[in-house]
Structure formats: structure tokens, C-alpha cells
Amino acid sequence: MRRNKFTLTAAVSTFLIGGFLLAGCAAAVETPAVTSSGVSEASVELDLGVVATEVLAANANSTTTNDDEWTLDGAVNITLDEATASADGDGVVVDGSTVTIAAAGTYVLAGQFDGQVVVDTADDGVVAIVLDGVEISSSMSAAIAVLSAEDVAVSLSGSNILSSTGADAESNAALFSDADLTITGDGSLTVNSTQNDGIISQDDLVILSGDITVTAGDDGLRGKDSLTIEGGTVTVNAGGDALKSDNEEDETRGYVYIASGTVALIAGDDGVQAQTDIVIAGGSTTLDATDDGLKAEVYAVVSGGTTAVENSYEGIEAYYVTIAGGALAVNASDDGINATSGTSTTTDIGGIVEADDGAMVAITGGESIINSAGDGIDSNGSIMITGGTTTVFGSPEDREGALDTNGSLVVDSGTVLAVGTTFMATSPDASSAQGWLSATLDQAYGAGLAVQVLDESGTVIAEFTSIKSFQSVVLSDAAVVNGATYTVTVDGATAGTVTAGAAAAGGEGAGGGAPGGQPRP
């Protein structure tokens, strides 16, 4: 019989334990060395949630200027020389400390400049700006401001620095674009914006490659219509949201998509904030957020790569949360995962009653480790689990649950381990296709203890090491047979015996309401 080991690696254990003790603090914790389980996404059904490609298909395509859409042939060289500049070709106007690019084409910038580079052209075609070892600083507004253009590409060569110390309400970033903006190249770009955002596109913002470091007083990277990261290394330290897309007028826009690359985010607000959807399909993403790690109004989807929410208030919040693949580790001072419409409570004579608002957490694959001081996985609608490996360490206090749902909790396949307290312990619905057990132990146990679940023959079917106080263990796995008897041991001594398929005394069954609010696609 298959034996499930929930023993954490040293790196993950350090992350979870340290993160729990330091929840809400700015101290750094070790990034979890989680690896993808390689679970297939092919069988995901729409009524259980959606994978990355289906969510993206419901959104408008982002506009990307690829490297083969412009050329260095005939490029105009712009030499920056402190308070002035010169150009060796047409399409450039120099007026004191302002350099204006007034025509489509390719422009290579080099040197140091105390002033502003402006792009203002009505021409069709691409404006390609090659930053080849520049340092541009503006005390009034954006260092580079694209006021009018069709499409703009910024290509990085060598080391480059853009700085803005002003508080311009219009060109409110060190690199500002009123047009679609693509950043590419094999060089580096350091962006410093003391009062405004770091990099903004009022349309689509796409990062193809490059080593980009942003320090911003407000948001780090913001694409109003969309923000896409397809490669490179992106490091952000922002006073507001680290990554953001905020189009409120078009339901097919306002999304953030991380396809690949290495992304490290520190945020004074949300790590990633989207007006519609967040999709993480690949790459390596780490987050340290004062508020939520991933915050989307509609979908938050993790379907590939490694994602570590090292610190957050709530780890992931959206109306529909789908974990379809990859590796996910979440550390939260409140809920680890929260699916909500934001309007889920009603009042009756007995007090506050939480209602099913149609939200959904769908786990169809991947490897997830959730550590929370509040609910581990909380859905104001339902929870559906059809694959993957999910480990949840909920609150050590009898006020929150490792699993919490206002609707149904159905586990049809995969492996789910939920460790927490007894008062809010929630069991899978009887309609679940897979066996499950819910054990209330003889007492509360502390952190650092070896826990095993054994079947009637004494075979260990699951084991883990506790990372904080607990008294409830909920397990669903293909090895569990409803009606059979299982024993939970702590450090080798029997701590509880349970019949699979029966809710534990003192705990809760799931809400039992039918899932509502079908996914938008």
C-alpha cells in the first residue's frame, strides 16, 4: 500500500515555522525549496475551476513588441552629457534638459543625464529605445515619459539607472508610458522612484527579459490593461502594490500573468493585485507583503512554477482560486487561501450567519503547503479537490479552522492533510468519492512532534511533523477506506482512534450548500 510522507524538507520547515512566528514582521525568512509534483492539468473541468490557458483566453491579448519587430539598422544615437544631449540623426529634438523623440524608429541612448527623455509621436510603428549604459535622473517628473506612440520597446544593454524624485500626478513613474510598453534585452535596469510608481504602462506592460530592479514609493510595476512577465529577473520593493493591473472598465483586462522568469517582491500593500485575474503558470515567484500576497477580484490561478508567499495578511484572495499545478507555499497571519465575493454574511435572530456566496477553491493538481494563523483554506462558497497534494497547518487557536467552507467540501482524489484545532475542524462531504478521516486527539499537542496515521494492520499511510499546536487531523487519500478504523500516534503513542467517513466529535461537517457562481469562461 502507498505510504504518504508529509515530513517537510528542512528549507520548507524553516520557512513555515519561522514565518508563523514572525507573521506580520518585516524579518526575512528562508524561501521554501518546494518542487513541482508534475501533476497533469489536462483533466481539469470548467465546473471545478479553470487552468491558466482558459482564464487567459477569457482576457484580451496583451500587446507585445517582439525583438524581430524592430532593428538596429539606421538607429539614431543619442549621447547624454549631464545637462544636455546630442543626436546623430533625425527624429530627436533637444531643448535644454529635455530630449524629445518625435518619430518612430530605433534610438540608442548612452551617458548620464539630469533631465527627462520624452517620446511624443503620432507615427505608426515601433519606437525602440536601447538603453546602453545610461543614468537618467529627473527631480520633477518621470526620467523617461512616453506621452504618445503606437508601441514602445525598451531594450536593455549594459547597466542602466532611471531615477525620479518628483511627485508628478500625470507621468507618475520613473519609467512612464501612455502606450503599450515592452521591456527586453540582456542588460540590467535599476529604477528608483521615491514618491511615485516605478514602471507604468497605461496600456499593456510586458517584461520579456532583462535584470530589472525597482524601488518605488508607491506601486512597483503597473500595467493598467495587463501586466505580463515572460522572462528575466524582476525584483521589486514597493511602498504600495509590487505588481498591479487596475483597468476597472473592461472585464477582459486588468490582469497579471507570470509565465516565466524569477520574480522577487516586497510590498507595503499587496504583492500582486489584479482588477480581474492573476495567473502564475511558470517561473519562480517569492512574495513578502504587508497585506495580501495574491489579490484578484475574479480568478487567482497557480498552474505551474514555484510560488512562495513568505509573509502576508491573507496569502491568496479571489472569488475563484484554482491550484492546478506547480509548487505553492503560503505563510499568512490570517487566512492562507480565501475565496470570497466580499459580500458573504447575512444576519438573523441568532446573530451573524455566513452564507454561500458562490465562491470556489478548486485544487486539481500541484503541491501546496499552507501555514496560517487564521483559516488555512477558507471559501465563502465551496471547496473542490480533485488532485494534487495539499498540506494545511491552520490556526493553533480554537477560533479558526484548517479547512472552512460555507458551502460544500468535496474531495474526489488527490491527497489532503489538514491539521488544526477541534472547534472548527471541518470534514469532507459524504458525497466525496475518496475516503477520508477526521480525528480529534486526546489532547492538544505542540510543535516538533512526529505524527503518524496507521491503518488496522499497523501500516503507516501518512506521517508528518507538527509545526505548531494542534488537536485535529483530517486526511483524505486513496489509501483511506471509509468504514475502516485508523489510529493516530504522536511520538509513537496513541493519541486517537477514528472510523473513516465519520465526522469527528466537536468538529463540523462542510456547509453542504451547492456550488454557485460558475466561472466566467
Side-chain angles (χ1 to χ4, degrees):
M1 181 175 290
R2 181 166 57 91
R3 172 172 171 169
N4 295 312
K5 288 182 65 68
F6 294 92
T7 305
L8 304 179
T9 65
V12 176
S13 180
T14 300
F15 160 70
L16 290 169
I17 297 171
F20 177 75
L21 295 175
L22 298 173
C25 300
V29 294
E30 186 175 353
T31 301
V34 288
T35 57
S36 173
S37 63
V39 178
S40 172
E41 303 166 12
S43 63
V44 179
E45 297 177 4
L46 282 174
D47 61 346
L48 305 183
V50 291
V51 294
T53 54
E54 290 164 323
V55 170
L56 292 171
N59 287 286
N61 291 333
S62 62
T63 299
T64 303
T65 302
N66 294 303
D67 292 345
D68 60 0
E69 296 180 58
W70 57 275
T71 178
L72 283 170
D73 294 341
V76 176
N77 294 294
I78 300 175
T79 302
L80 307 174
D81 187 10
E82 296 185 353
T84 188
S86 60
D88 67 359
D90 298 331
V92 180
V93 177
V94 178
D95 183 7
S97 60
T98 301
V99 174
T100 301
I101 296 172
T106 300
Y107 301 85
V108 180
L109 281 63
Q112 189 273 333
F113 192 50
D114 295 324
Q116 184 179 54
V117 175
V118 174
V119 177
D120 191 0
T121 176
D123 290 351
D124 293 335
V126 174
V127 175
I129 300 173
V130 179
L131 301 182
D132 187 15
V134 303
E135 183 174 349
I136 304 172
S137 178
S138 173
S139 61
M140 301 297 293
S141 184
I144 297 178
V146 179
L147 304 182
S148 179
E150 183 179 20
D151 296 305
V152 175
V154 172
S155 181
L156 307 177
S157 178
S159 299
N160 304 278
I161 301 173
L162 301 179
S163 301
S164 173
T165 57
D168 189 331
E170 295 184 0
S171 300
N172 54 335
L175 173 52
F176 172 86
S177 179
D178 203 38
D180 295 313
L181 175 63
T182 299
I183 300 178
T184 184
D186 58 8
S188 67
L189 175 63
T190 299
V191 175
N192 299 302
S193 182
T194 57
Q195 300 187 56
N196 286 326
D197 297 346
I199 301 174
I200 285 180
S201 169
Q202 296 287 47
D203 292 326
D204 296 319
L205 173 58
V206 177
I207 310 296
L208 294 180
S209 59
D211 187 348
I212 300 167
T213 301
V214 175
T215 302
D218 197 5
D219 301 330
L221 273 64
R222 180 163 68 90
K224 182 176 181 180
D225 288 349
S226 70
L227 170 56
T228 299
I229 299 176
E230 295 189 16
T233 300
V234 177
T235 304
V236 178
N237 189 333
D241 301 324
L243 306 181
K244 185 172 187 175
S245 186
D246 58 352
N247 188 319
E248 299 179 0
E249 300 173 355
D250 187 341
E251 67 176 8
T252 68
R253 302 182 187 276
Y255 63 92
V256 177
Y257 174 38
I258 300 175
S260 188
T262 300
V263 181
L265 309 174
I266 299 175
D269 201 347
D270 298 329
V272 182
Q273 200 277 336
Q275 185 62 34
T276 53
D277 308 322
I278 297 171
V279 175
I280 299 179
S284 173
T285 301
T286 59
L287 303 155
D288 186 332
T290 300
D291 201 356
D292 298 338
L294 305 177
K295 173 65 180 295
E297 296 301 319
V298 187
Y299 282 106
V301 179
V302 177
S303 66
T306 61
T307 303
V309 181
E310 296 179 342
N311 284 296
S312 65
Y313 175 66
E314 290 191 335
I316 303 176
E317 181 177 319
Y319 193 18
Y320 303 108
V321 179
T322 296
I323 312 301
L328 170 68
V330 171
N331 186 54
S333 61
D334 192 41
D335 296 343
I337 295 176
N338 183 21
T340 178
S341 67
T343 57
S344 62
T345 60
T346 58
T347 304
D348 64 8
I349 297 175
I352 300 297
V353 177
E354 292 190 349
D356 184 341
D357 68 356
M360 172 73 80
V361 175
I363 301 176
T364 64
E367 180 181 350
S368 301
I369 303 173
I370 311 298
N371 176 41
S372 67
D375 293 325
I377 299 177
D378 179 11
S379 176
N380 288 348
S382 298
I383 300 173
M384 172 66 79
I385 300 174
T386 63
T389 299
T390 304
T391 306
V392 181
F393 295 96
S395 173
E397 301 179 9
D398 255 337
R399 60 182 181 85
E400 307 283 3
L403 303 174
D404 184 19
T405 175
N406 296 348
S408 60
L409 169 55
V410 176
V411 182
D412 284 343
S413 62
T415 298
V416 181
L417 171 71
V419 182
T421 58
T422 59
F423 178 71
M424 290 292 291
T426 301
S427 305
D429 289 5
S431 62
S432 297
Q434 181 167 271
W436 55 269
L437 62 86
S438 180
T440 296
L441 308 185
D442 57 359
Q443 66 182 52
Y445 291 90
L449 302 177
V451 184
Q452 294 183 324
V453 180
L454 298 87
D455 65 13
E456 294 173 341
S457 69
T459 300
V460 177
I461 62 170
E463 58 186 349
F464 65 94
T465 301
S466 63
I467 66 170
K468 53 189 171 183
S469 177
F470 71 103
Q471 196 175 358
S472 168
V473 175
V474 176
L475 173 67
S476 180
D477 185 78
V480 177
V481 178
N482 286 344
T485 301
Y486 295 86
T487 301
V488 180
T489 66
V490 178
D491 273 1
T494 297
T497 301
V498 62
T499 299
E508 297 183 347
Q518 290 302 309
R520 188 179 65 216

